[in-house]
Amino acid sequence: MNVKKIVIFGECMVELVTANETQLTKSFAGDTYNTAVYLKRTAPHVAVSYLTAIGEDFLSNELLFAMGNEQINTEQVYRSSQRNLGLYMVRTDPHGERTFAYWRANSAATQTINAMTKAPENIDYFYFSGISVAILDEPQRIKLFELLATLRSKGCKVVFDPNYRPLLWASGDEAKVWMDKSYQMADIAFPGGDDHLALYGHVNTEEVLAHLGQFEVDEVVMKNGAVGVHIVNSDGHFIVPVQKVTNVVDTTAAGDAFNGGYLAARLSGQSVTDAASHGAIVAGTVIQHPGAIIPAEALRKVVAPL
Ligand code: ADP
């Protein structure tokens, strides 16, 4: 099998989880990073490269090591001397309700496109999310879309997940413009039911799929929690059931893990329906453990590498 190459673009942050009244547990996470980790873990034969900018601080160094441990290529991780890593804190109340607080507005990752000295080339896939776009200023967004167009003209497939976070956008209208531009560029898209309800007011699968129908997306993969996954491609419309997990511990990164598992299978030559089943198993495993990135061993017990 010839090695498939994917570049995943976005922001990875320091994740601090409240352990008790006075202590925090530190790790690294971020939507696109989570996808990179689960893709590489479940399809080790795929060359996964992460495109971002980090600082020169010790936390940034630790993140670089963490990426190395995950076998993620760090050649496109740029350094900023002026800025450092973004950070978020999660607190879980006694009822299991989670509250997030973010310090990311001036992170190094917000300057990734400015910092990029060598644009990705000769790659098979480029993956980004609505968060990857939201954190950039307008000139960098424009450059990113020029890069997407160039990559596509050379046969690279573009993969997009909207991952709508209202706080990262100036307005819903601004978000819609860039989400739709992103869908327009996408060969594979992962719309989520919750995202489409919050951003477009879509109340059912038909409305989401009708919206996506405006764009020429080859492969639409719609996630909807424990409800089945809908896939639309040139062969038709498929619904893949999801085995409901009853002991959900933490749904953080469910969608990201699904995407990683789905792409791992697709880049291993599997069909869209088998890939959705694989993605669902990866996501279903991740939500039975706390945190975005679960121990590698816990995943390996359930999902054999492809
Ligand atoms: P997002 O994180 O994007 O909101 P979803 O909640 O739609 O993602 O979930 C993504 C995937 O995670 C689903 O497609 C499904 O495979 C899996 N998943 C989420 N919740 C459950 C659940 N309760 N039981 C089993 N699988 C789930």
Side-chain angles (χ1 to χ4, degrees):
M1 198 186 328
N2 69 337
V3 176
K4 290 269 188 287
K5 291 188 200 145
I6 183 168
V7 168
I8 297 187
F9 163 52
E11 173 167 25
C12 185
M13 291 166 287
V14 182
E15 181 194 61
L16 297 177
V17 179
T18 305
N20 57 43
E21 278 284 295
T22 55
Q23 289 172 310
L24 297 163
T25 305
K26 180 187 71 187
S27 44
F28 298 98
D31 69 327
T32 48
Y33 179 68
N34 306 338
T35 297
V37 167
Y38 292 118
L39 167 53
K40 183 66 188 180
R41 282 188 186 178
T42 57
H45 60 86
V46 175
V48 179
S49 185
Y50 197 62
L51 167 63
T52 193
I54 61 174
E56 289 177 344
D57 54 296
F58 69 92
L59 284 168
S60 295
N61 293 343
E62 288 178 20
L63 169 59
L64 211 55
F65 279 117
M67 288 184 191
N69 283 339
E70 296 290 349
Q71 312 285 319
I72 291 170
N73 185 312
T74 58
E75 257 168 48
Q76 289 171 88
V77 176
Y78 293 95
R79 294 274 200 170
S80 161
S81 56
Q82 315 291 328
R83 297 166 187 255
N84 45 27
L85 282 192
L87 177 153
Y88 73 98
M89 246 168 93
V90 196
R91 187 184 61 183
T92 310
D93 74 10
H95 309 289
E97 230 12 82
R98 287 170 301 133
T99 318
F100 292 84
Y102 290 91
W103 291 263
R104 70 188 301 179
N106 293 307
S107 69
T110 64
Q111 301 300 314
T112 303
I113 304 298
N114 287 337
M116 191 170 68
T117 49
K118 194 172 180 304
E121 51 184 10
N122 300 324
I123 55 172
D124 303 294
Y125 293 84
F126 185 95
Y127 179 100
F128 71 115
S129 76
I131 297 177
S132 317
V133 181
I135 63 168
L136 301 175
D137 55 28
E138 177 126 351
Q140 290 186 91
R141 287 178 188 168
I142 292 166
K143 279 191 204 152
L144 170 67
F145 278 74
E146 285 167 3
L147 170 64
L148 296 177
T150 305
L151 287 170
R152 288 190 91 198
S153 72
K154 294 181 179 156
C156 170
K157 288 193 186 304
V158 170
V159 190
F160 175 68
D161 183 324
N163 263 339
Y164 177 47
R165 298 291 181 278
L167 288 176
L168 293 178
W169 296 95
S171 67
D173 285 341
E174 187 202 34
K176 277 186 208 161
V177 167
W178 288 98
M179 295 296 192
D180 287 349
K181 277 181 192 285
S182 303
Y183 279 138
Q184 215 142 20
M185 281 288 171
D187 297 284
I188 303 177
F190 290 108
D194 291 349
D195 281 355
H196 273 255
L197 175 64
L199 181 60
Y200 300 98
H202 296 154
V203 294
N204 54 40
T205 307
E206 289 67 34
E207 288 184 11
V208 175
L209 295 179
H211 184 80
L212 267 290
Q214 302 170 65
F215 313 105
E216 285 174 17
V217 183
D218 288 348
E219 205 168 309
V220 176
V221 185
M222 185 186 163
K223 299 167 285 180
N224 211 346
V227 184
V229 179
H230 286 253
I231 303 170
V232 178
N233 67 4
S234 58
D235 294 333
H237 181 162
F238 309 92
I239 302 171
V240 178
V242 168
Q243 185 91 37
K244 193 171 166 55
V245 170
T246 45
N247 61 322
V248 175
V249 173
D250 179 357
T251 56
T252 305
D256 312 331
F258 176 92
N259 297 357
Y262 181 90
L263 291 172
R266 291 293 285 144
L267 273 61
S268 302
Q270 291 192 9
S271 67
V272 290
T273 48
D274 286 350
S277 299
H278 189 259
I281 292 169
V282 175
T285 308
V286 169
I287 62 179
Q288 293 181 56
H289 298 268
I293 305 291
I294 70 168
E297 193 44 41
L299 186 64
R300 212 174 304 124
K301 267 192 209 151
V302 185
V303 187
L306 293 167

